[in-house]
Amino acid sequence: MMNPSYKLPDTPDFFQTTSQFPDVFAPRQAESHKGTYGTLAVVGGASGMSGAVVLASTAAIYQGSGKVWAGFNQTALPFAVIPERPEIMLATAEDLLKRKDISAWAVGCGMGLDETADSILNIVLTQNQDAPLLLDADALTLLARSNPETREAAQKRGNLILTPHPAEAARLLGTSTQAIQQDRMSAVHTISATFQAVTVLKGHRTLVAAPDGTVYTNPSGNAGLATAGSGDVLSGIIGSLLAQGIPPFQAACAGVWLHGAAADVIKHSSGVETGMLAGEIAPAARWLRNRLMTDKTKN
């Protein structure tokens, strides 16, 4: 049930956005089923970091994926079920990587940097190449450290989204975080061109670049997003849109906007910015997407 206490900020941006991301805000067809909206696999969650996968998977199910798998880089499942979200299916990363029915992958949240994590990265880059792939967090660090063959596999894969924060972007380009922040536009262009991937350079006014040079500057969001797990939620939102068949550049731009706009909704509705929790973002993003879909239908 949607929270009736949410309120839209009094800005025209919220009503103009549906035209920017038409596939995201198209109403659902009456004759549809869970298979219509794809299956997302979220892979990460090394020991002690299970929450990263839970946050990303929860955000994905809230954003409308038909089915979501949470895959943990552990020898055994850390728990039998996510009590608050039993809709999410659980597997070890090893078992999940064997599945052939995945519509999109989101890999890296809390995954760790061990040999098993490195193997996961290589598998997702070379298998299931028709399915869009999002790499975040530890997967980006591993990619930055990888051998030329792995980097070449990333460049050739297609349908790839990279979501670095400035320090991860610096690792990918072999430079400093300060250098990234001094020229964010150049950095996001270079990463996107180097890896032939849609690149989301996170931060204040997040930038999203396509390999053809197109760049989207995100206007939404506030400092409440500076909290643990916020990036995992973003990965889940974008991954969910990918699984639903939204093209990668539009999925990345819309996901970034929804993530930030959800934080704006929370701040406007409750006055909370300091102490905003990552787990609060996904329900607000769900409410916002549905609200804007409803407004679009009325118009």
Side-chain angles (χ1 to χ4, degrees):
M1 183 176 180
M2 296 181 193
N3 189 334
S5 66
Y6 291 134
K7 300 175 184 177
L8 286 176
D10 299 323
T11 63
D13 293 344
F14 281 75
F15 298 97
Q16 295 169 356
T17 301
T18 54
S19 61
Q20 289 182 275
F21 313 123
D23 299 321
V24 175
F25 293 103
R28 291 197 163 191
Q29 299 300 313
E31 293 186 9
S32 60
H33 51 83
K34 62 179 180 285
T36 307
Y37 303 106
T39 300
L40 177 69
V42 180
V43 182
S47 180
M49 295 295 290
S50 299
V53 167
V54 173
L55 283 166
S57 301
T58 301
I61 205 80
Y62 267 105
Q63 201 51 229
S65 289
K67 294 184 284 185
V68 176
W69 281 95
F72 299 88
N73 181 23
Q74 301 178 41
T75 55
L77 291 179
F79 23 74
V81 67
I82 302 171
E84 297 83 5
R85 287 275 66 88
E87 302 91 346
I88 298 169
M89 298 172 287
L90 311 185
T92 63
E94 181 181 7
D95 288 341
L96 186 51
L97 289 168
K98 297 174 184 176
R99 298 193 66 90
K100 305 299 182 185
D101 60 345
I102 303 302
S103 308
W105 298 82
V107 176
C109 299
M111 188 167 70
L113 301 172
D114 60 10
E115 291 183 8
T116 307
D118 196 47
S119 175
I120 290 170
L121 176 63
N122 280 282
I123 290 171
V124 297
L125 284 173
T126 57
Q127 298 181 7
N128 304 301
Q129 296 205 6
D130 291 335
L133 168 64
L134 180 149
L135 297 181
D136 185 29
D138 290 335
L140 296 172
T141 297
L142 289 169
L143 181 62
R145 297 177 180 177
S146 65
N147 58 41
E149 290 77 13
T150 300
R151 293 172 75 91
E152 185 177 355
Q155 293 162 354
K156 290 182 176 180
R157 193 184 187 287
N159 290 332
L160 179 64
I161 296 180
L162 308 178
T163 60
H165 58 52
E168 290 159 348
R171 292 175 200 135
L172 289 169
L173 294 181
T175 186
S176 67
T177 303
Q178 182 180 10
I180 297 294
Q181 292 295 75
Q182 285 176 343
D183 193 348
R184 287 170 55 82
M185 187 64 72
S186 176
V188 76
H189 273 301
T190 303
I191 295 171
S192 186
T194 298
F195 292 96
Q196 287 300 293
V198 172
T199 301
V200 176
L201 180 56
K202 294 184 282 194
H204 180 62
R205 296 292 181 259
T206 290
L207 300 174
V208 184
D212 67 2
T214 304
V215 176
Y216 167 78
T217 302
N218 182 56
S220 68
N222 57 66
L225 292 172
T227 185
S230 175
D232 303 318
V233 172
L234 176 61
S235 290
I237 291 173
I238 297 175
S240 182
L241 296 177
L242 289 172
Q244 292 170 62
I246 308 299
F249 184 69
Q250 186 179 165
C253 295
V256 166
W257 184 84
L258 279 166
H259 181 257
D264 291 335
V265 165
I266 294 168
K267 181 179 179 180
H268 182 74
S269 303
S270 65
V272 170
E273 183 177 68
T274 299
M276 188 182 298
L277 301 180
E280 297 176 296
I281 299 168
R286 176 183 67 173
W287 175 86
L288 178 59
R289 187 180 180 195
N290 280 275
R291 171 63 188 272
L292 293 176
M293 281 180 178
T294 301
D295 289 345
K296 184 178 180 180
T297 302
K298 287 180 179 178
N299 293 334

